[in-house]
Amino acid sequence: MSRWLRSLLRAPLRLYQHGWGWVLGHRFLRLTHRGRRSGRVYQTVLEVLRFDPATREATAMSGFGPGADWLRNIEANGQLEVSIGRSTFPATYRLLEVEESVRVFAEYERRNIVVRPVIRAVLGRLVGWRFDGSDAARHKLADQLPIVAFRPLIPIPFN
């Protein structure tokens, strides 16, 4: 990966680290999690596929599949914190079932019609087959790339 691309991909985390994560609104979240073996604290920025202001639930995809370190860490110990918009809170998570994942991703594609070709190309690279956006492809995608919903451990008002 080129230095330029690596720097671009790290930009959202740098914004959060310097107190500017709020400028990303509800488009990205910062997940703080503890290593399952090391016990070290890690931070990962994830793109939000869906955000529900009523419940504060933010949904994100594990682009590197079920083996992604952040996903394995939260499954192993459940200790996580989410920063999104101007809020930071201890959170809980749930893995979406395939049918809900398919719906969430279809909604995400509809809302992002301008960049849909880029999204499909990137997903195709991640999963190793051509993702065409069909219902069958979304089902196959949901089997390979888990979608995770994060919500405050204790309900908090929307700000």
Side-chain angles (χ1 to χ4, degrees), residues 8 11 14 31 33 35 37 50 65 67 79 100 114 128 131-132 135 141 145:
L8 180 67
R14 287 196 181 108
L31 173 66
H33 51 100
R37 291 186 305 245
R50 176 180 68 186
Q79 296 178 358
E100 186 178 5
V114 173
F131 177 73
D132 62 8
D135 198 46
L141 184 74
L145 302 179

Side-chain angles (χ1 to χ4, degrees), residues 12 16 24-31 44-53 56-62 82-85 89 104-105 107-109 111-112 119 147-150:
Y16 274 108
L24 301 171
H26 294 100
R27 181 72 183 193
F28 292 91
L29 65 81
R30 178 182 61 185
L31 173 66
T44 305
V45 174
L46 303 170
E47 182 179 9
V48 174
L49 302 178
R50 176 180 68 186
F51 180 75
D52 180 349
R56 313 272 307 156
E57 184 174 77
T59 307
M61 178 183 286
S62 177
V82 168
S83 298
I84 186 167
F89 48 84
V104 165
F105 199 72
E107 292 166 9
Y108 172 79
E109 280 193 295
R111 284 192 317 275
N112 293 281
I119 293 167
I147 296 183
V148 182
F150 301 97

